Amino acid sequence: MHRDSARILIRRLIALAVSIAASAGATAAVAGPSLDQFEIKNLESVPGAIEIQSQNDFSSGNPRRRVLPDGSGVIADPNTITRQREGLEIEAGLTSFVKIRLGAEFEQRRIDDPKSFSDAQRIGPLDCDGSGAESIWTVIPRKGDGIGAGFLVQWEQSAHSDEASTLTIGPIFEWQQGAWSASLNPTVIQYFGGEPEDKHKIDFGYAVRVMYQSSKEHALALESYGGIERISGGNIGEAARLFGKFNQYRLGPVFYWTFGDDDDDDASSGNKKEVAERNVETTIGTGLLFGLNKDTPATTLKLSVEIDY
């Protein structure tokens, strides 16, 4: 794909993401632990490079919601439980040490304000949860083997006027030695707006990966993701007083398959320019993450698609 075609596609996707987020309806919500996408951030940044990503996950064996009577209705625990999440993102390299990303996320999750005991376990429809922007800055570049470091700044704008938006900040650490590599992304998540109990609330999150690259095309990783609710700030609402905090931890294997025009080593000298212009590489990741405590779904299927131009 030519660079001009990629830029046109990006503009259209951004316009679509913004219009969907703007048109999403508002529904009441009570926030549990912050649940970021199950993705390992990396420091690689190539000036002018474009990447389109689809980050998806599907959970099953969800923990049963705790519910207590409350006058004529009920009060339910606010644990963050989703059946599925789909994210569409566009990433662009600005320099060799700065890249940015824009995206929108769709979720199908438990209804936030149940009116009865049966409603408390019900899953709502798939709708737009919000849009976001992030930047990744490289402080210590890594070229091949060695250590790299940088940091992430991310803003997520809720699509619902009565839900909190979040600011996520944290370092990114990378290490590689031959076929082995490791990544660590700890973050703090600051809430803004939303319900009174969510204002100024701070959560902690992390993403960890140890990976073995068996070939240029194939890699196998062990990944872990977690969220710890309310490490600081926020007002304790009635649900939090009754049910406490909810932390989620996941761990499991993920397989990555990379393919594309970069693998074509048979290009003749006469069409090298054409190959360079196409230069599309696709990486598909799929794996199964297992819940490590009673507040986490038993299994989460992770599926990601990344297309580099």
Side-chain angles (χ1 to χ4, degrees):
M1 180 180 288
H2 293 275
R3 294 287 187 188
D4 291 343
S5 299
R7 292 190 181 98
I8 292 172
L9 176 61
I10 288 171
R11 286 197 292 268
R12 290 176 178 175
L13 288 173
I14 292 174
L16 175 63
V18 171
S19 64
I20 291 173
S23 62
T27 59
V30 179
S34 176
L35 194 61
D36 289 334
Q37 290 179 345
F38 303 132
E39 175 198 8
I40 303 294
K41 306 295 184 180
N42 66 75
L43 300 175
E44 181 182 3
S45 181
V46 178
I50 302 297
E51 181 176 274
I52 296 176
Q53 297 188 1
S54 177
Q55 301 285 343
N56 314 282
D57 57 77
F58 308 88
S59 295
S60 60
N62 290 334
R64 187 167 181 81
R65 197 174 202 174
R66 288 180 282 170
V67 190
L68 294 174
D70 182 34
S72 58
V74 298
I75 183 168
D77 77 57
N79 192 14
T80 304
I81 297 296
T82 64
R83 175 174 291 171
Q84 61 175 314
R85 297 189 302 167
E86 285 88 33
L88 177 62
E89 301 175 333
I90 306 158
E91 182 178 282
L94 301 184
T95 71
S96 60
F97 59 90
V98 179
K99 60 182 177 180
I100 61 172
R101 183 186 298 185
L102 301 174
E105 184 174 291
F106 301 82
E107 285 189 354
Q108 184 181 22
R109 62 186 178 185
R110 280 196 314 205
I111 62 172
D112 296 310
D113 190 20
K115 304 301 182 185
S116 65
F117 281 88
S118 59
D119 274 351
Q121 310 302 332
R122 189 160 59 87
I123 300 291
L126 179 68
D127 66 0
C128 181
D129 186 61
S131 56
E134 74 174 41
S135 63
I136 292 178
W137 300 71
T138 300
V139 178
I140 302 174
R142 179 182 60 81
K143 300 293 184 181
D145 291 350
I147 296 174
F151 62 91
L152 162 76
V153 179
Q154 175 181 280
W155 175 263
E156 292 188 5
Q157 179 67 44
S158 174
H160 311 299
S161 60
D162 54 354
E163 291 187 9
S165 297
T166 58
L167 175 66
T168 300
I169 300 175
I172 299 172
F173 302 105
E174 293 182 348
W175 168 85
Q176 180 175 315
Q177 185 64 48
W180 289 94
S181 63
S183 302
L184 171 62
N185 310 152
T187 55
V188 291
I189 303 100
Q190 170 76 65
Y191 287 64
F192 294 90
E195 299 296 320
E197 59 264 34
D198 296 329
K199 291 180 179 179
H200 310 300
K201 172 186 171 186
I202 299 177
D203 288 355
F204 174 79
Y206 66 84
V208 182
R209 177 171 70 191
V210 177
M211 185 167 68
Y212 179 73
Q213 187 88 33
S214 60
S215 68
K216 181 180 178 182
E217 295 82 14
H218 304 128
L220 182 63
L222 182 65
E223 298 184 359
S224 181
Y225 301 90
I228 300 175
E229 185 184 12
R230 203 181 298 276
I231 62 172
S232 178
N235 301 310
I236 305 299
E238 183 179 4
R241 286 193 294 269
L242 290 172
F243 302 109
K245 298 192 297 183
F246 293 89
N247 305 326
Q248 295 191 14
Y249 311 101
R250 290 171 171 87
L251 175 71
V254 181
F255 174 75
Y256 292 95
W257 175 37
T258 300
F259 59 91
D261 292 334
D262 283 344
D263 296 333
D264 186 3
D265 297 327
D266 299 326
S268 64
S269 58
N271 63 4
K272 281 183 179 178
K273 180 178 180 182
E274 179 184 352
V275 171
E277 287 177 342
R278 289 183 291 135
N279 196 26
V280 179
E281 185 176 80
T282 301
T283 298
I284 296 176
T286 184
L288 194 62
L289 305 174
F290 297 93
L292 302 181
N293 69 351
K294 62 181 178 60
D295 296 330
T296 310
T299 58
T300 300
L301 174 66
K302 169 182 172 175
L303 175 62
S304 63
V305 180
E306 301 176 358
I307 305 174
D308 289 294
Y309 298 96

